[in-house]
Amino acid sequence: MNRPLGITVIRHIVDSQRLHPEATGDLSGLLNELIVAGKTISAEVNMAGLADILGMSGKTNIQGEKVQKLDEFANNTIKKRMARCGYLCVMTSEEDDDIISVKEGYEGKYTLAFDPLDGSTNIDVNVNIGTIFSVHRRRSSGGQGCREDLLQKGRDQVAAGYILYGSSTMMVFTTGDGVHGFTLDPSVGEFYLSHPNIRTPERSKYLSVNEGNSRYWPENVRSFIDLLKEEDEEKKRPYSCRYIGSLVADFHRNLISGGIFLYPRDNKTAKKNYGKLRLLYEAAPLAMLIEQAGGRAITDDGIDILDIMPESLHQRVPLIIGSKLDVEEARGYLG
Ligand code: AHM
Ligand code: MG
């Protein structure tokens, strides 16, 4: 990549803002703060494997500070940074039970929902993890925001995206003008545009599902997944199976290469009767991204994820997301 000529994420955001003369710059400012938080988390994630070697995995690190677990670190980094960015009125995190207030005097017009470190079971084994975010415009007027500001349909998101900590760190986001991907050059500390206007293939290449749960799935889900594994020359089936167990990483691979990811409801536990994944922190932001890239996201009974009105902050939802033709086939089959 030619660095001096590369388009940085900030330049891309500012250029996009120029297309909207009515924009105040607040959304650009908010994204900029998220980028800084993402870079901070990325640096820490890259050090995670060294923690033991450097003797920092105990209770205190060499500076005498308490060492936090990586997911706590990510959560605190975003909360602290965003609470005084001046663009938000309230936040919610997958890691916190209740809404998160912003600093008094710094209230702004947007809300933020985030999963600080998705795929956290993969942290200790050096497998890709990521931060997912979702931004809405507030509904209340002035002062601190409230729960109702956060309980909005995915369809009304003004921005959504993720930062993936993988073989390289990538930021992928949309503000409703397509999906764009940026790769972090760690030697410069800048994200450069590497994947402009991502379009996901219409037909899947990969099938991503936790087959270990198959005995607990509803019968129609099980037979639909069996169908994806049957030979079909025209649809190039059976699809290859790929399942990382980090939604953000499974999603990213399928976004680029084409794929269908399913986390249906199961009858293993009462909780998972609604699926495992969370509407506000996982399903809705990824649904906005996939629709912007030409794909689809639905529940296992055929409802568009973006049309679901959330009732609670940590609501779970069965999720089928990915290439348009396969997700529409699922809708026809299951809906
Ligand atoms: P997390 O946010 O606590 O990490 O949990 C969500 C993760 C997703 O990233 C992933 O798709 C899913 O859980 C994997 O679940 P399972 O191990 O049941 O297949
Ligand atoms: Mg998660």
Side-chain angles (χ1 to χ4, degrees):
M1 186 188 302
N2 188 338
R3 284 174 184 146
L5 294 177
I7 298 171
T8 63
V9 63
I10 300 301
R11 185 183 293 182
H12 176 90
I13 290 169
V14 170
D15 285 351
S16 311
Q17 194 192 312
R18 273 190 236 280
L19 302 174
H20 300 274
E22 72 289 355
T24 57
D26 282 16
L27 184 60
S28 303
L30 194 169
L31 290 170
N32 191 21
E33 293 290 335
L34 274 173
I35 290 162
V36 179
K39 285 198 261 193
T40 310
I41 298 166
S42 177
E44 195 72 11
V45 167
N46 288 340
M47 289 300 290
L50 288 171
D52 279 337
I53 301 166
L54 299 179
M56 295 198 291
S57 66
K59 288 279 177 275
T60 47
N61 66 16
I62 43 174
Q63 284 88 32
E65 296 158 346
K66 244 189 153 189
V67 176
Q68 298 165 6
K69 283 167 59 195
L70 212 47
D71 40 5
E72 274 172 33
F73 175 85
N75 196 33
N76 289 337
T77 298
I78 298 173
K79 284 198 288 188
K80 281 189 194 147
R81 174 131 224 121
M82 301 313 288
R84 49 190 311 147
C85 73
Y87 307 115
L88 295 173
C89 64
V90 66
M91 296 181 269
T92 182
S93 162
E94 197 196 281
E95 296 289 329
D96 286 66
D97 291 341
D98 211 345
I99 61 171
I100 304 158
S101 306
V102 301
K103 193 165 165 51
E104 289 284 325
Y106 286 79
E107 297 90 347
K109 64 182 184 212
Y110 292 106
T111 72
L112 177 69
F114 61 96
D115 180 349
L117 220 43
D118 177 61
S120 39
T121 54
N122 282 320
I123 293 175
D124 291 340
V125 288
N126 207 2
V127 170
N128 299 5
I129 46 183
T131 300
I132 310 176
F133 61 88
S134 159
V135 178
H136 278 91
R137 212 164 266 117
R138 72 182 299 168
R139 292 162 138 192
S140 58
S141 51
Q144 291 282 331
C146 57
R147 192 176 301 264
E148 283 60 45
D149 288 315
L150 292 158
L151 296 178
Q152 298 193 51
K153 284 183 185 170
R155 191 76 67 197
D156 297 327
Q157 288 170 106
V158 293
Y162 55 84
I163 299 151
L164 178 68
Y165 313 109
S167 50
S168 50
T169 296
M170 274 197 76
M171 179 169 186
V172 176
F173 72 93
T174 181
T175 53
D177 294 323
V179 179
H180 307 285
F182 302 82
T183 303
L184 183 66
D185 178 342
S187 64
V188 182
E190 284 285 1
F191 281 101
Y192 288 97
L193 181 62
S194 52
H195 297 66
N197 203 19
I198 299 171
R199 303 296 297 168
T200 197
E202 283 202 327
R203 179 66 75 194
S204 293
K205 183 170 177 195
Y206 297 124
L207 163 63
S208 312
V209 67
N210 185 343
E211 286 267 5
N213 291 331
S214 62
R215 65 168 55 242
Y216 306 112
W217 294 335
E219 187 49 47
N220 61 347
V221 171
R222 208 177 10 237
S223 59
F224 177 70
I225 291 172
D226 284 344
L227 181 75
L228 298 177
K229 294 187 285 187
E230 269 171 28
E231 268 188 356
D232 184 323
E233 218 170 301
E234 191 197 320
K235 296 175 181 168
K236 298 208 171 62
R237 291 179 184 164
Y239 296 145
S240 281
C241 264
R242 293 283 188 281
Y243 190 76
I244 297 171
S246 280
L247 174 63
V248 61
D250 279 309
F251 176 87
H252 182 73
R253 182 202 52 244
N254 290 356
L255 174 73
I256 303 295
S257 302
I260 179 167
F261 174 99
L262 304 94
Y263 210 114
R265 75 191 75 204
D266 64 45
N267 62 14
K268 193 166 151 195
T269 59
K271 187 172 81 177
K272 285 173 83 181
N273 216 359
Y274 304 97
K276 177 185 183 188
L277 301 172
R278 267 70 35 135
L279 177 58
L280 290 189
Y281 316 108
E282 293 164 330
L286 298 185
M288 181 180 184
L289 285 165
I290 203 75
E291 288 215 355
Q292 283 287 317
R296 296 285 184 276
I298 61 172
T299 62
D300 61 8
D301 45 9
I303 298 164
D304 275 323
I305 294 289
L306 292 180
D307 288 334
I308 301 173
M309 184 66 195
E311 286 167 10
S312 61
L313 294 177
H314 297 286
Q315 185 171 333
R316 293 169 193 267
V317 70
L319 177 66
I320 301 178
I321 189 165
S323 293
K324 182 172 107 183
L325 296 176
D326 298 292
V327 176
E328 286 304 347
E329 191 175 335
R331 196 198 308 264
Y333 197 97
L334 305 167

